Amino acid sequence: MCGIIGYVGPRECKSLLLEGLERLEYRGYDSAGIALREESGIDYVRAIGNLQNLKLAAGPNGSRSTHGLGHTRWATHGTVTEANAHPLTGCDDGRLSIVLNGIVENYRELIRGLQEEGHAFSSETDAEAVSHLIERHYEGDLVEAVRAAFNELEGHFSFVAIHHDHPDLLVGARYQTPLVVGVGEGEMFLASNAIAFLRETRMVQFPDDGDVVVIEPSGVRYLRAVDGTPVEHQTVELDWDDEGAEKGGYETFMLKEIYEQPEAVAETIGDRVRHGKLQLEGLGLSDEEVRNLRRIVLLACGTAYHSCVVARYVLEEWARLPVEPDIASEWIYRNPVIGPDTLVIGVSQSGETRDTIEAMKLAKKKG
């Protein structure tokens, strides 16, 4: 889950983007960045860690740009480095850039094909494939380039593109992840959540899956990615406050998380299932080692342990292997019986859990 914010209008946008990212930081805090369209090209500021680092890096930037993108990242593909921080570029980083939330499932095939055509990649991310796809299709019309790129993608994602040759234009698209348009007076916003711009405008429109979104200071238009057919969406006035917007209109965060479970599961497994087949190269085990497993141990604390109890039912049903959920803080004080045919999985709760980490260290020590 990542956060996206875009702006076109008459105001200098650096502060608007940073303020929007601050309200979207709950969606990802591994790294963050902004892209600002300047007369000489697109200028970037990126930083690792929480948003304060980006603010410090962007402080000396005296930009007066009124056209830009921002992104806060929760890393899925690629480590937490400045090179992997969005906005991401094509081969010519001064002309084209994108920000993306979600997962591009067929990025491996796309990258191979683009590299064969001579495209050079500068990050480890799946999202960079989108910027190069747009670059491949671009022949002077950014909207058509985005539409053509969208139709080659598989997965669940929202993305927004900016191009130096098109001042005051942002083009986005969405499929199974959120994207909302903020409608202002002579200015427009595009974001993952309305909280990013709620203090600037409460008038919003919600694109559908498969929509391409085109925003300019004068307004917004939509077309279906599959065939270019124009579509329209009603403008809605939100009565949420900041907390209500962060909760997506749900009464409580718990209720929001319950209804977001399908999206959370899809994001978790989406990159690991391709055309009905599992892709487990990141597991660190060979096919033979997986086939030779005879037992699975799940280690966690708190509510993460309860997740492991539920996972036991799923894993035993599908893998047909015995599964033992255990409390990590207790497990480390025993002399656990594990061997080369035992897979030990640690499940963290709200980030790193010390007892779970210690349990995983013990498991590695025992082989």
Side-chain angles (χ1 to χ4, degrees):
M1 183 169 68
C2 301
I4 291 173
I5 174 78
Y7 175 83
V8 291
R11 291 191 278 172
E12 294 179 9
C13 68
K14 186 179 80 170
S15 61
L16 289 171
L17 296 176
L18 291 173
E19 289 166 8
L21 290 178
E22 188 171 22
R23 293 191 283 273
L24 290 172
E25 192 173 14
Y26 74 96
R27 298 184 65 87
Y29 39 80
D30 290 326
S31 62
I34 56 175
L36 303 168
R37 185 194 175 279
E38 309 287 1
E39 289 302 317
S40 58
I42 300 177
D43 187 36
Y44 303 93
V45 184
R46 304 181 182 93
I48 300 169
N50 62 42
L51 192 66
Q52 187 60 32
N53 296 336
L54 179 66
K55 288 183 174 181
L56 291 173
N61 181 310
S63 173
R64 303 192 66 181
S65 172
T66 61
H67 180 197
L69 291 175
H71 186 274
T72 183
R73 180 177 184 239
W74 182 280
T76 53
H77 297 81
T79 53
V80 180
T81 65
E82 192 170 312
N84 290 332
H86 297 216
L88 298 166
T89 71
C91 293
D92 187 346
D93 60 7
R95 296 186 71 211
L96 170 69
S97 183
I98 67 105
V99 291
L100 182 141
N101 169 42
I103 291 175
V104 179
E105 295 174 4
N106 61 331
Y107 76 98
R108 300 176 186 85
E109 303 97 302
L110 293 172
I111 289 175
R112 280 196 296 269
L114 288 160
Q115 286 176 329
E116 289 172 0
E117 295 174 11
H119 287 259
F121 284 73
S122 58
S123 78
E124 305 166 324
T125 67
D126 59 328
E128 191 181 351
V130 178
S131 57
H132 286 272
L133 268 182
I134 296 172
E135 193 172 53
R136 171 207 274 172
H137 290 292
Y138 181 74
E139 295 180 351
D141 188 333
L142 183 59
V143 177
E144 281 304 306
V146 166
R147 191 171 76 83
F150 178 95
N151 288 323
E152 292 192 48
L153 300 174
E154 298 175 16
H156 49 281
F157 47 79
S158 300
F159 67 88
V160 183
I162 184 172
H163 199 292
H164 183 260
D165 294 353
H166 299 273
D168 293 329
L169 175 70
L170 293 176
V171 184
R174 65 159 297 210
Y175 185 71
Q176 295 182 352
T177 59
L179 195 65
V180 57
V181 176
V183 181
E185 293 291 335
E187 61 184 5
M188 301 292 291
F189 299 83
L190 198 53
S192 304
N193 187 318
I195 193 175
F197 54 73
L198 197 60
R199 296 176 188 177
E200 311 301 330
T201 180
R202 294 180 174 275
M203 308 304 292
V204 302
Q205 295 183 6
F206 295 98
D208 289 331
D209 281 348
D211 278 354
V212 172
V213 186
V214 184
I215 66 168
E216 299 172 286
S218 58
V220 57
R221 60 188 176 94
Y222 304 91
L223 56 152
R224 297 297 294 167
V226 65
D227 58 9
T229 302
V231 291
E232 294 184 2
H233 294 290
Q234 289 186 336
T235 301
V236 179
E237 184 173 5
L238 298 180
D239 58 1
W240 305 337
D241 56 15
D242 281 2
E243 183 179 351
E246 192 172 343
K247 290 187 291 189
Y250 291 101
E251 185 177 352
T252 65
F253 282 107
M254 179 176 287
L255 193 62
K256 178 176 183 286
E257 290 177 0
I258 289 171
Y259 279 92
E260 285 180 346
Q261 286 181 11
E263 178 186 343
V265 172
E267 287 198 12
T268 302
I269 68 173
D271 180 50
R272 295 170 176 85
V273 180
R274 296 286 297 116
H275 304 299
K277 294 184 178 180
L278 288 174
Q279 303 284 340
L280 298 177
E281 62 267 26
L283 192 60
L285 296 172
S286 67
D287 290 349
E288 183 177 357
E289 287 173 320
V290 172
R291 282 192 291 267
N292 288 336
L293 291 175
R294 295 294 176 265
R295 177 168 160 256
I296 299 174
V297 176
L298 304 176
L299 301 176
C301 298
T303 55
Y305 168 74
H306 297 295
S307 298
C308 292
V309 173
V310 175
R312 176 183 190 174
Y313 286 84
V314 176
L315 290 172
E316 288 188 339
E317 174 70 23
W318 290 348
R320 304 309 300 156
L321 291 174
V323 178
E324 301 171 19
D326 213 326
I327 298 173
S329 58
E330 301 295 328
W331 195 79
I332 57 178
Y333 293 109
R334 302 206 315 264
N335 185 16
V337 180
I338 57 175
D341 59 356
T342 303
L343 176 64
V344 180
I345 301 173
V347 181
S348 67
Q349 173 183 299
S350 299
E352 294 186 353
T353 303
R354 185 173 184 83
D355 289 328
T356 304
I357 292 172
E358 292 302 316
M360 294 306 295
K361 288 179 180 178
L362 177 60
K364 289 183 178 180
K365 184 177 178 180
K366 287 181 170 290

